[in-house]
Amino acid sequence: MKIKSLKRLFCYHKWIQVGNPYLWDHGKTKRVDVRCIKCNKLSNVDIFDTPKRRWA
């Protein structure tokens, strides 16, 4: 395993928003593309499911 993948595996992610939020499943959840500022991982998360302390 590369060091970068190990770092990403054990990273306590801190997310920043990289896209515009959009509704999913007929407006039930609001989703957004986010990127971790520590390990650069790109992900798509539910805005209301991610704890506030994890946003940068």
Side-chain angles (χ1 to χ4, degrees):
M1 242 184 190
K2 294 182 181 179
I3 291 177
K4 190 174 186 177
S5 61
L6 278 176
K7 183 179 177 184
R8 184 174 288 177
L9 183 66
F10 293 107
C11 181
Y12 186 73
H13 302 295
K14 215 145 167 72
W15 302 111
I16 57 169
Q17 181 177 326
V18 294
N20 292 328
Y22 59 91
L23 294 175
W24 189 264
D25 193 22
H26 306 290
K28 291 182 182 174
T29 63
K30 201 160 193 173
R31 302 196 64 86
V32 68
D33 290 324
V34 293
R35 185 173 299 277
C36 177
I37 60 174
K38 295 179 179 180
C39 68
N40 209 27
K41 178 181 180 179
L42 183 63
S43 187
N44 185 282
V45 297
D46 183 356
I47 292 174
F48 302 113
D49 192 34
T50 306
K52 290 186 184 231
R53 62 179 157 64
R54 306 250 334 245
W55 289 98

